[in-house]
Amino acid sequence: MAEAALPIRTVLVFGAGGQVGFELLRAAWAPGLRPVGLTRAAGDVTDPAAVAAALAAHRPALVVNASAYTAVDKAEGEPELAFAVNRHGPANLARGCAAAGVPLIHISTDYVFDGASKATPWREDDPVAPQGVYAASKLAGEEAVRDLLPADHVILRTAWVFGAHGHNFVKTMLRLARERDELRVVADQRGCPTPAAGIADAIAAIARLRLAPAPSEARRWTPGTFHYAGAPATSWHGFAERIVDRAAERIGRRPPVRAIATADFPTPAKRPANSVLDTALITRTYGIAPADWEAALDRMLDEILDHSQTVRAGA
């Protein structure tokens, strides 16, 4: 006798136009779970009425908030917009999820820490101390989710996100490697490059445990705050060197990457010197290991460089 098909349940993804949102829509979800993506035009998290309408229309089993204001330097000059997206947006989603009885997974950042008061990786229970508008707005978003949906949320802090879709450090280094004879990259800031696809896979794994039909698995859902990032830790300079090395043959250039200090590259917003996240808790709780960012970088370069060469060859 054939097994009955599982009912299709919707995972509603706000911020589907971003790096992680894009990957969430093509991640491997558990049977019976179907991601539905909303861009800002279709689901503006800053608008409570738009959030309520989206929840009513899609009746999701789970909501993922991948929307964010990520222009770290611009945020110093437009704090209202940063807080609208990064604080009020998560609050609107958490409030709507609470009313609908729906769990929420929200993506946050390593910037909630000061990046200077310890040299070891940041744990979830370390004191937070945001150093700029972007960082403060993201911390405020975390607090809103905890306050409004205390028992049915997961906050996933991550860092240094890169992927095939959208703007990121990898694409910037590829562009500069084609244009310049030398790259100058900060070497005294350390962190964990994290593939957007890895974040999507981690979220899909957490969702499976929250929405699993078997009670034994459902009990493994643990609300709270977790760190997920790539390994091993490196500097921006080390990350850039690996990008240029791996891309050199296909772009036909390998400019040297010169190490500079943060002081040599001033920015409006302060960057944390130590952005390394301790991911032991998510591994113990959910069995999710850190992403191998070097292997993910190779896959990303295969996707974007091979595609671009194919397009040029067919032109």
Side-chain angles (χ1 to χ4, degrees):
M1 183 176 175
E3 292 184 5
L6 292 173
I8 299 299
R9 292 183 290 175
T10 295
V11 176
L12 192 58
V13 178
F14 287 83
Q19 294 188 84
V20 178
F22 175 82
E23 296 294 347
L24 282 165
L25 297 185
R26 64 177 187 171
W29 292 87
L33 298 184
R34 179 191 64 178
V36 173
L38 298 178
T39 62
R40 182 176 181 181
D44 184 353
V45 297
T46 68
D47 182 350
V51 169
L55 292 175
H58 294 280
R59 302 178 63 185
L62 171 73
V63 170
V64 180
N65 182 29
S67 63
Y69 177 105
T70 57
V72 175
D73 289 326
K74 286 182 66 178
E76 296 300 306
E78 44 189 37
E80 295 85 1
L81 181 56
F83 271 83
V85 178
N86 292 343
R87 189 277 168 194
H88 306 322
N92 291 333
L93 290 173
R95 191 177 293 108
C97 286
V102 175
L104 171 66
I105 298 178
H106 170 66
I107 301 171
S108 191
T109 176
D110 58 295
Y111 272 64
V112 299
F113 301 110
D114 65 20
S117 57
K118 64 179 287 189
T120 53
W122 297 97
R123 292 162 44 101
E124 288 82 354
D125 56 359
D126 281 328
V128 292
Q131 297 298 296
V133 170
Y134 165 75
S137 69
K138 290 296 289 183
L139 178 58
E142 287 190 8
E143 292 169 341
V145 170
R146 293 190 193 101
D147 289 345
L148 295 167
L149 193 65
D152 218 3
H153 73 265
V154 163
I155 294 169
L156 203 64
R157 291 181 183 145
T158 190
W160 293 23
V161 180
F162 68 93
H165 177 77
H167 302 288
N168 53 62
F169 182 78
V170 176
K171 291 185 175 181
T172 298
M173 290 301 104
L174 290 174
R175 175 177 58 80
L176 295 178
R178 290 185 175 105
E179 297 173 353
R180 299 184 182 181
D181 294 328
E182 178 186 77
L183 277 61
R184 302 171 72 249
V185 183
V186 170
D188 55 0
Q189 297 173 20
R190 289 183 60 78
C192 302
T194 309
I199 300 170
D201 289 343
I203 289 172
I206 294 170
R208 179 181 64 82
L209 294 176
R210 173 61 178 82
L211 302 176
S216 60
E217 280 202 308
R219 282 197 295 269
R220 292 177 59 191
W221 161 265
T222 303
T225 301
F226 300 89
H227 291 170
Y228 176 81
T234 188
S235 66
W236 287 115
H237 175 263
F239 192 15
E241 283 204 309
R242 181 57 63 103
I243 295 164
V244 173
D245 282 342
R246 295 296 176 89
E249 184 175 344
R250 278 177 286 194
I251 67 174
R253 305 188 79 236
R254 204 299 181 194
V257 183
R258 177 185 169 194
I260 63 172
T262 297
D264 296 326
F265 190 73
T267 56
K270 183 178 179 181
R271 263 60 174 182
N274 175 23
S275 281
V276 181
L277 296 176
D278 185 324
T279 59
L281 181 60
I282 198 169
T283 301
R284 290 196 307 270
T285 306
Y286 284 111
I288 296 171
D292 179 345
W293 68 262
E294 293 172 310
L297 173 63
D298 288 342
R299 291 191 295 271
M300 174 189 170
L301 294 177
D302 287 343
E303 181 175 353
I304 65 173
L305 294 181
D306 289 351
H307 173 73
S308 64
Q309 289 173 356
T310 300
V311 171
R312 285 198 296 271

